[in-house]
Amino acid sequence: MLDYEAIVIGAGVCGIYQIKRLVDLGIKATVLEAAPDLGGTWYNNRYPGCRFDSESYTYGYSFSREVLDEWHWRERFSSQPENLKYLNFVADKFDLRRHMQFNCRVRSAHYDKAGNAWRLRLSDGRTLTARYVILATGLLSVPTLPRIEGLDSFKGQSFHTFHWPHEGVDLAGKRVAVIGTGATAIQLIAEIADKVADLTVFQRRPNWSAPLNNSPISEAEMADIRKRYDEIFAACARTPGAFEHEPDRRGFWEVTREERVALWDKLYDEPGFGIWLANFREIFTDEKANAEFSAYIADRIRRRVKDQAVAEKLIPRDHGFGVQRVPLETRYYEAYNRDNVHLVDIAETPLVSITEKGLRTSAREYEFDIIVYATGFDAITGAYDHIDIQGVGGEKLRDKWKDGPSTFLGLLVAGFPNLLLPSGPQSGSASTNYPRAIEIGVNWCTDLLVYMQDKGYDRVEATKAAEERWTRHVAEMYGMMLMRKAKSWFTGYNSNVPGHEAGRIRYFVYNGGTPKFVATINKVAEKGYEGLEFGASGTPRPDSARVATAA
Ligand code: NAP
């Protein structure tokens, strides 16, 4: 007898909603989480300055009216402690914690064709079996460190931002190094610049960034948001990025330069991703349009940074605005106007090694009390690669995806029956407002289970042909986007992961936007799940596994 009908791996934003859906259907299921508690990204990332850059009220779950009515978002872009509180509030409200097991990392998941079951081996020595495995392992959950000599030799405190100590770090009077200038570093640097004695930022490539323009949300504003929730979520469902920000439908070249600048001046002062997503659509696809807008942002940076030599270093040259994931900032550029903040260009003088006292570049040695690695993640496929997932005939998922993922709709993989990926690579989730996308993915996967129950199936697999079609489609969509040329995690770049260095593009994300993604996956379902093959093994289900009839 199987231990569970479904095992969900990961108790973050996705795993929490997935277990809610399974429990509501009476499916015998559990969540296995490597960390000591739930929350995923918002449990792990505790670095100062960590907060949403999605509007809080578009990031929260939409599935429960009660949650929407009871929760008060305190800030337009809520901070990590508050976000973790929110996820705990949701989990506790629906008593989901009793369906979660913590401190258990899944080492392997092997599909057994004869028994039509998955066998999972855990780090605590246990083996569990389940009909279905649902991967809710996150897109940015495997932090990566530089591949550099002497990493362990530093005698001070050092950690990746993902592992920022939960008990906090005493920064007062400390000489701190931050390596990296991605979205994480940009939040961190601005937050700690005035709290440390001395801060040195080691930048290999600058990122385009624009103001977050955060503000508190009063009781009255929250009451208004509650009234507008349906409207807000409907707007998110209409837009490519699943945000409130709708693209400006005017043609970039059809309006005057003055009109373009008027829009940019307005967006620069507005909250959130408007500057990226409410912009002219051509900035994503047209080199000349993108260059003109990038020059506008470069001028904004020059106006905010006093030392023009530093300003020039903070302006990206190798890519245009918005072709990589745009970090949003709060007085990031002003941090460089402080006497205690220094920028080191490690494209000019590369990092050579970490030493006992600090680090060495090709130019000189630096001494620090604390080194912070804000060096990013083995994004999107990293969490999958870290579990030994074997499908039919012992095929390893990490081998199949060696040169980049291939999936059907980002939700299933040929050769890996009963493995569901509600927020998989090539799904709508990575390139959009994550919780909006995971609700879509979780609902689709759950509806699939209900369909199978109704039809008497217990085995589902994407066909090779369907997978090839989707993967080709995802790749073709990159062809239209300037993003294909960028060295970022959207294209599978990470200099710290062997095989992920620049040069080979991986088709990690679906670029078609939320409305198209939803229309496509709904059509597949309406056509009786075209592209999937079903079977019935007749092997018994776990005792309490009775799927309630779908409402
Ligand atoms: P990231 O965007 O990948 O940035 C990593 C940074 O570290 C880059 O500046 C990179 O330089 C540098 N780096 C990496 N390896 C290095 C090495 N060996 N030597 C020197 N520099 C190195 O990672 P991230 O900042 O953690 O952000 C990842 C994603 O997390 C974001 O894009 C965003 O989606 C998400 N995030 C979201 C929020 C939010 O919602 N508020 C906040 C933070 C992060 P190169 O560019 O030269 O590689």
Side-chain angles (χ1 to χ4, degrees):
M1 181 67 75
L2 298 175
D3 295 309
Y4 296 97
E5 183 73 349
I7 289 181
V8 179
I9 309 181
V13 175
C14 184
I16 292 170
Y17 181 46
Q18 183 62 74
I19 193 67
K20 165 84 172 86
R21 290 292 323 264
L22 296 174
V23 167
D24 284 354
L25 288 167
I27 291 179
K28 188 180 181 193
T30 192
V31 181
L32 304 177
E33 167 59 57
D37 208 343
L38 60 83
T41 282
W42 303 108
Y43 176 84
N44 288 295
N45 284 287
R46 301 198 183 206
Y47 61 86
C50 182
R51 62 174 63 251
F52 290 153
D53 48 22
S54 303
E55 281 76 8
S56 309
Y57 48 85
T58 72
Y59 191 100
Y61 295 113
S62 72
F63 69 83
S64 159
R65 192 77 239 176
E66 277 178 59
V67 169
L68 295 172
D69 285 343
E70 288 169 24
W71 184 258
H72 182 151
W73 291 109
R74 303 277 156 195
E75 289 179 280
R76 197 172 181 106
F77 303 97
S78 172
S79 66
Q80 175 273 331
E82 195 68 7
N83 307 342
L84 186 56
K85 231 186 263 172
Y86 169 75
L87 293 176
N88 275 282
F89 162 75
V90 174
D92 292 342
K93 180 169 182 62
F94 299 111
D95 200 11
L96 300 176
R97 200 177 277 278
R98 69 196 170 95
H99 303 287
M100 297 176 179
Q101 305 178 46
F102 300 111
N103 294 308
C104 48
R105 184 171 287 283
V106 177
R107 297 278 181 222
S108 66
H110 293 179
Y111 177 70
D112 163 33
K113 195 173 175 189
N116 185 33
W118 284 91
R119 181 175 298 276
L120 278 64
R121 292 212 159 72
L122 314 186
S123 53
D124 58 16
R126 285 184 298 154
T127 298
L128 295 175
T129 53
R131 180 79 68 214
Y132 301 97
V133 169
I134 305 178
L135 287 157
T137 40
L139 307 171
L140 298 157
S141 53
V142 179
T144 52
L145 292 169
R147 289 184 281 169
I148 186 173
E149 194 191 309
L151 211 57
D152 295 326
S153 54
F154 182 57
K155 299 278 190 235
Q157 237 186 325
S158 68
F159 37 80
H160 191 283
T161 43
F162 189 77
H163 295 129
W164 190 278
H166 288 198
E167 65 278 14
V169 179
D170 181 11
L171 296 168
K174 300 284 172 23
R175 298 162 304 166
V176 178
V178 172
I179 302 176
T181 47
T184 300
I186 282 175
Q187 290 185 329
L188 172 71
I189 290 162
E191 184 69 25
I192 66 172
D194 64 352
K195 298 179 180 65
V196 301
D198 204 72
L199 176 62
T200 308
V201 177
F202 291 88
Q203 170 185 272
R204 191 165 60 185
R205 286 186 314 140
N207 252 294
W208 292 104
S209 189
L212 179 67
N213 293 319
N214 192 18
S215 57
I217 298 179
S218 68
E219 292 286 346
E221 283 165 326
M222 197 60 224
D224 177 57
I225 288 168
R226 287 199 191 97
K227 274 194 233 137
R228 292 191 299 109
Y229 262 130
D230 287 346
E231 200 185 300
I232 289 168
F233 291 126
C236 292
R238 265 199 315 272
T239 61
F243 287 94
E244 277 185 303
H245 311 288
E246 306 219 23
D248 194 304
R249 301 273 163 197
R250 294 173 299 165
F252 187 100
W253 303 112
E254 284 160 21
V255 298
T256 62
R257 159 92 187 154
E258 288 67 33
E259 285 171 303
R260 294 197 282 277
V261 172
L263 174 69
W264 298 337
D265 283 346
K266 175 171 112 37
L267 294 177
Y268 200 81
D269 293 336
E270 284 180 359
F273 281 129
I275 192 77
W276 190 23
L277 305 176
N279 214 315
F280 300 99
R281 289 164 297 173
E282 288 85 344
I283 67 157
F284 293 98
T285 54
D286 177 335
E287 298 265 13
K288 260 182 79 187
N290 183 281
E292 185 182 312
F293 178 59
S294 300
Y296 168 89
I297 296 287
D299 275 345
R300 286 295 199 143
I301 296 170
R302 290 185 187 104
R303 276 151 60 180
R304 292 174 58 185
V305 178
K306 285 188 189 139
D307 181 336
Q308 287 304 293
V310 173
E312 291 307 316
K313 286 206 178 301
L314 291 168
I315 296 170
R317 312 281 166 193
D318 69 328
H319 67 281
F321 185 98
V323 306
Q324 294 184 180
R325 176 18 171 112
V326 174
L328 295 179
E329 47 83 26
T330 303
R331 299 188 59 74
Y332 171 67
Y333 292 107
E334 285 73 13
Y336 293 96
N337 295 336
R338 299 179 58 86
D339 290 340
N340 68 331
V341 177
H342 324 283
L343 181 66
V344 176
D345 181 349
I346 50 171
E348 268 176 16
T349 55
L351 277 184
V352 174
S353 60
I354 305 297
T355 63
E356 276 192 19
K357 292 185 173 172
L359 60 81
R360 188 176 297 125
T361 67
S362 60
R364 56 166 278 206
E365 182 155 4
Y366 296 81
E367 292 190 6
F368 297 109
D369 302 306
I370 299 171
I371 298 178
V372 183
Y373 297 96
T375 43
F377 297 88
D378 187 354
I380 311 238
T381 50
Y384 299 86
D385 290 346
H386 276 68
I387 304 172
D388 172 25
I389 300 171
Q390 297 188 20
V392 176
E395 183 184 20
K396 288 177 184 267
L397 189 65
R398 68 166 78 108
D399 288 346
K400 179 175 167 124
W401 285 3
K402 190 163 53 69
D403 296 326
S406 52
T407 71
F408 180 50
L409 310 173
L411 299 164
L412 295 108
V413 185
F416 294 79
N418 295 355
L419 185 72
L420 302 175
L421 287 52
S423 65
Q426 306 182 338
S427 76
S429 62
S431 54
T432 59
N433 195 2
Y434 186 65
R436 303 278 59 75
I438 70 96
E439 284 190 346
I440 292 162
V442 165
N443 287 341
W444 194 91
C445 289
T446 311
D447 289 350
L448 173 65
L449 296 183
V450 172
Y451 171 86
M452 291 173 67
Q453 162 75 9
D454 288 349
K455 298 274 184 195
Y457 299 134
D458 61 9
R459 185 182 186 283
V460 61
E461 184 183 345
T463 66
K464 274 209 167 79
E467 179 179 283
E468 278 167 16
R469 259 199 321 277
W470 181 254
T471 303
R472 206 169 36 246
H473 173 59
V474 169
E476 278 164 9
M477 301 212 67
Y478 271 74
M480 296 185 280
M481 311 292 286
L482 295 174
M483 124 190 345
R484 72 189 181 279
K485 299 182 177 174
K487 276 161 65 179
S488 87
W489 62 264
F490 278 5
T491 52
Y493 162 75
N494 182 325
S495 69
N496 309 314
V497 181
H500 285 240
E501 300 87 352
R504 182 196 290 144
I505 181 166
R506 283 157 205 269
Y507 302 109
F508 266 10
V509 301
Y510 172 74
N511 285 313
T514 299
K516 265 196 198 147
F517 183 71
V518 171
T520 306
I521 64 174
N522 284 348
K523 199 159 139 208
V524 166
E526 278 157 24
K527 290 188 166 179
Y529 293 95
E530 199 173 53
L532 302 187
E533 271 173 2
F534 294 96
S537 67
T539 54
R541 313 161 73 86
D543 282 347
S544 63
R546 276 185 304 280
V547 180
T549 311

